[in-house]
């Protein structure tokens, strides 16, 4: 759906040139009593706006994409794909996320736990993958995240908003962590941890400061300054 709210159908070959990140979701995210999934809105630091999700898994995938520095734009339920199956019946599918990368390439993402992929849906995912390949896009079907990494990302995401940034504190944190050091030790060295930690976590979200996210974050997490590859 375009940015003007009007839904348009175009041949697949023309879709490659459409800026779906500027459009509206083609589906709504309903919420009702007794609902088994958990829809909502995720504020994306990358997009600077809210991105819809229909489950906590989709929320975690939106968060993961938001954390990826190669991602420059993110949109939820961006488009419909239409095709005819082997019996000639019309089939449609709306992938969960449209992703634009810094190099201009496109990734479509579907979110679904591995234990909830019936044959009918797998056929749709396969068709979406074929469509992406035809126009030079990438496609991914994502399942559950590693629970430790997901927990760490959820924590850092709580500090993703620019309001958590303070230039003076950030400069002192970068200086301290130019050599790897312990998270809380650095916060205490720079100032009052209550004021410093939000800035520290914001820099970790921006990946200016790095750590091993496969290990649960804590006071003794080893943090280091990111170093640009100058090759």
């Amino acid at each position: 759906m375009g940015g003007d709210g009007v839904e348009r159908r175009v041949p697949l070959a023309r879709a490659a040139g459409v800026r779906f990140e500027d459009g509206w979701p083609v589906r709504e995210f309903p919420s009702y009593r007794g609902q088994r999934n958990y829809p909502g809105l995720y504020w994306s630091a990358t997009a600077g706006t809210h991105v819809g999700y229909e489950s906590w898994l989709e929320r975690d995938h939106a968060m993961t994409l938001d954390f990826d520095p190669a991602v420059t734009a993110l949109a939820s339920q961006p488009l419909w794909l239409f095709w005819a199956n082997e019996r000639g019946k019309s089939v449609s599918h709306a992938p969960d996320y449209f992703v634009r990368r810094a190099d201009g390439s496109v990734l479509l993402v579907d979110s679904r736990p591995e234990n909830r992929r019936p044959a009918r849906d797998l056929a749709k995912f396969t068709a979406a993958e074929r469509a992406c390949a035809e126009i030079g896009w990438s496609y991914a079907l994502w399942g559950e995240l590693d629970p430790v990494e997901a927990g760490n990302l959820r924590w850092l995401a709580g500090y993703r908003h620019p309001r958590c940034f303070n230039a003076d504190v950030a400069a002192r944190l970068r200086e301290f962590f130019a050599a790897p050091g312990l998270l809380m030790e650095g916060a205490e060295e720079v100032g009052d941890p209550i004021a410093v930690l939000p800035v520290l976590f914001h820099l970790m979200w921006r990946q200016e400061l790095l750590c091993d996210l496969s290990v649960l974050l804590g006071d003794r997490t080893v943090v280091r300054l990111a170093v640009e590859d100058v090759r």
Side-chain angles (χ1 to χ4, degrees), residues 1-210:
M1 186 179 293
D4 56 5
V6 178
E7 187 170 313
R8 299 176 176 86
R9 287 198 185 194
V10 299
L12 180 62
R14 286 181 55 194
V18 176
R19 286 185 55 83
F20 289 101
E21 60 266 50
D22 297 334
W24 294 6
V26 296
R27 294 174 54 193
E28 296 182 351
F29 303 91
S31 180
Y32 51 87
R33 186 172 183 176
Q35 192 169 4
R36 297 181 64 182
N37 59 310
Y38 299 92
L41 295 172
Y42 170 87
W43 186 82
S44 167
T46 299
T49 187
H50 286 97
V51 175
Y53 59 84
E54 294 186 290
S55 68
W56 284 345
L57 181 63
E58 285 187 23
R59 176 205 59 190
D60 285 351
H61 290 164
M63 177 183 66
T64 300
L65 292 165
D66 200 27
F67 182 66
D68 186 344
V71 172
T72 59
L74 173 63
S76 58
Q77 304 285 344
L79 57 94
W80 285 108
L81 294 171
F82 298 94
W83 69 95
N85 65 15
E86 63 278 3
R87 298 189 300 275
K89 181 180 178 181
S90 178
V91 184
S92 62
H93 174 59
D96 292 316
Y97 292 111
F98 175 93
V99 180
R100 181 83 65 182
R101 301 189 183 101
D103 62 4
S105 63
V106 169
L107 168 69
L108 288 189
V109 175
D110 273 313
S111 303
R112 188 66 61 87
E114 291 188 15
N115 62 352
R116 292 182 52 208
R117 298 177 182 177
R120 177 182 177 183
D121 289 345
L122 284 174
K124 291 186 176 183
F125 299 147
T126 298
E129 185 174 20
R130 285 200 304 265
C132 286
E134 192 172 324
I135 57 176
W137 290 357
S138 299
Y139 175 82
L141 173 58
W142 287 357
E144 301 283 356
L145 301 178
D146 175 85
V148 172
E149 291 188 11
N152 287 337
L153 274 185
R154 290 186 200 113
W155 179 265
L156 295 180
Y159 300 89
R160 66 191 182 277
H161 197 281
R163 64 173 171 259
C164 295
F165 181 74
N166 178 288
D168 292 337
V169 174
R172 296 199 296 273
L173 285 168
R174 294 188 194 101
E175 182 179 356
F176 180 89
F177 289 113
L182 301 182
L183 186 151
M184 186 56 73
E185 184 178 304
E188 292 175 340
E189 178 67 23
V190 168
D192 182 352
I194 293 178
V196 173
L197 284 172
V199 185
L200 195 162
F201 293 137
H202 181 73
L203 293 179
M204 292 174 73
W205 171 261
R206 283 166 43 168
Q207 299 185 59
E208 294 185 33
L209 298 178
L210 305 177

